[in-house]
Amino acid sequence: MKDAPDAEQDSAADAEAPRGQRAPLPPASDAVRAEWGRRVEAEYRSAAITQHLTLWLIQMGASPDLIDDGLRIVKDELAHARLSHRVHARAGGGALPALRRETLGLRSSGDEPLEMAVARAGVEVFCLGETVAVPLFKVLREGCTVPVARRALDRILRDEVRHRDFGWTLLRYLLEQPCAPAVRQLVERELHSMFTRLRRSYMPPGGAKRAAISDDDRAWGLMPTARYGEILERAVERDYVPRFGEHGLDATAAWRAATAPDRSATPP
């Protein structure tokens, strides 16, 4: 089924019960405003990154289906940003800081084929990031009862499944091209570094101890920091290991390398 036009989506997202019949919203904390503001920025950044990746797909003459999927994802991410901004505003959030423009795109080394830049971005952004986003938004949605936030999470979760599938389709496509040996070497060489960066985002120092939030924050679509790490660890076994394994790539070894203590920092 095709998405409704943007205007129709916005009207549907704005549709609420008459003011006199609305249940009072739980109070929104600074944490709620900060988190939904962060999500606006993250979704907008994802749109820019995906647009850049899709340009690379066009430049390398990739499958038209992949290009169409990439363009659709750009539209999804912009819709997510609008919905997230609506939640941020309803929670009493003010103006958001300007995005750092240097983060709104991808970088490639001038001395490597474009296919390698596509593989690197596709694996890290989609195979890793969008794959763990599916269970993450599922958990966020389960505890969310504020209507405007629930609508946003409903839409985001629905789309994240397709975004995840785009990443794995792209990897499969690259591994069927003449560049396949180089792509395989790149993933084997860099997957543990990608996992390290993902862990840094989902499992910050001390995050495992932050295992509780208020019921009001949960109703607005937040969850404890500790849950992010739990979801990531579960995704390793449930998603990353079997999905990379289908292509003969060892995600278990890469994860172990990413979680190994930094022995270089240990005093003699």
Side-chain angles (χ1 to χ4, degrees):
M1 179 170 57
K2 294 183 179 180
D3 287 341
D6 285 348
E8 185 177 335
Q9 292 176 15
D10 289 346
S11 297
D14 278 335
E16 295 190 35
R19 284 189 180 277
Q21 300 177 20
R22 291 179 191 168
L25 297 179
S29 66
D30 288 343
V32 167
R33 288 184 284 274
E35 176 61 18
W36 280 100
R38 186 198 64 78
R39 290 177 189 173
V40 173
E41 296 175 359
E43 299 290 357
Y44 200 86
R45 185 172 291 109
S46 294
I49 288 172
T50 306
Q51 181 81 1
H52 201 157
L53 178 62
T54 305
L55 171 62
W56 284 352
L57 291 174
I58 294 170
Q59 291 174 332
M60 63 180 270
S63 161
D65 290 339
L66 280 172
I67 293 169
D68 287 344
D69 288 345
L71 293 173
R72 182 179 180 186
I73 291 171
V74 174
K75 184 177 179 180
D76 289 343
E77 303 289 20
L78 291 174
H80 299 173
R82 286 196 301 274
L83 291 168
S84 297
H85 188 270
R86 191 170 287 120
V87 182
H88 180 260
R90 185 62 57 83
L96 294 170
L99 290 170
R100 291 181 295 126
R101 293 182 179 181
E102 66 273 15
T103 69
L104 302 180
L106 295 167
R107 296 181 181 179
S108 64
S109 172
D111 59 356
E112 72 173 357
L114 187 58
E115 287 80 359
M116 297 303 100
V118 167
R120 184 179 292 107
V123 170
E124 185 157 12
V125 175
F126 288 94
C127 293
L128 296 191
E130 296 288 358
T131 293
V132 72
V134 173
L136 184 151
F137 280 104
K138 183 175 185 294
V139 173
L140 290 170
R141 177 180 174 275
E142 287 171 352
C144 181
T145 58
V146 173
V148 66
R150 179 59 180 253
R151 279 195 297 273
L153 293 175
D154 284 347
R155 169 68 191 267
I156 293 170
L157 177 59
R158 186 186 79 200
D159 292 342
E160 293 300 335
V161 174
R162 185 160 33 78
H163 301 180
R164 174 199 64 192
D165 293 347
F166 169 79
W168 296 105
T169 300
L170 175 56
L171 178 60
R172 184 179 304 109
Y173 171 82
L174 292 170
L175 290 174
E176 293 171 350
Q177 304 305 308
C179 62
V183 170
R184 185 174 298 278
Q185 290 174 7
L186 181 147
V187 176
E188 291 172 344
R189 182 178 66 248
E190 299 188 20
L191 185 57
H192 76 280
S193 297
M194 296 178 184
F195 274 141
T196 298
R197 289 188 287 272
L198 194 63
R199 288 187 74 246
R200 194 178 300 133
S201 296
Y202 280 69
M203 306 170 74
K209 298 179 181 179
R210 301 201 292 272
I213 60 171
S214 71
D215 290 342
D216 288 341
D217 283 359
R218 194 181 305 275
W220 277 95
L222 273 61
M223 69 180 176
T225 303
R227 287 289 282 141
Y228 285 84
E230 294 168 3
I231 290 168
L232 176 58
E233 289 187 319
R234 188 164 61 245
V236 173
E237 292 302 320
R238 188 184 66 182
D239 296 302
Y240 298 140
V241 169
R243 287 176 180 272
F244 280 112
E246 291 177 4
H247 304 292
L249 296 164
D250 190 351
T252 299
W255 179 254
R256 286 174 180 164
T259 57
D262 184 359
R263 301 188 184 281
S264 65
T266 304

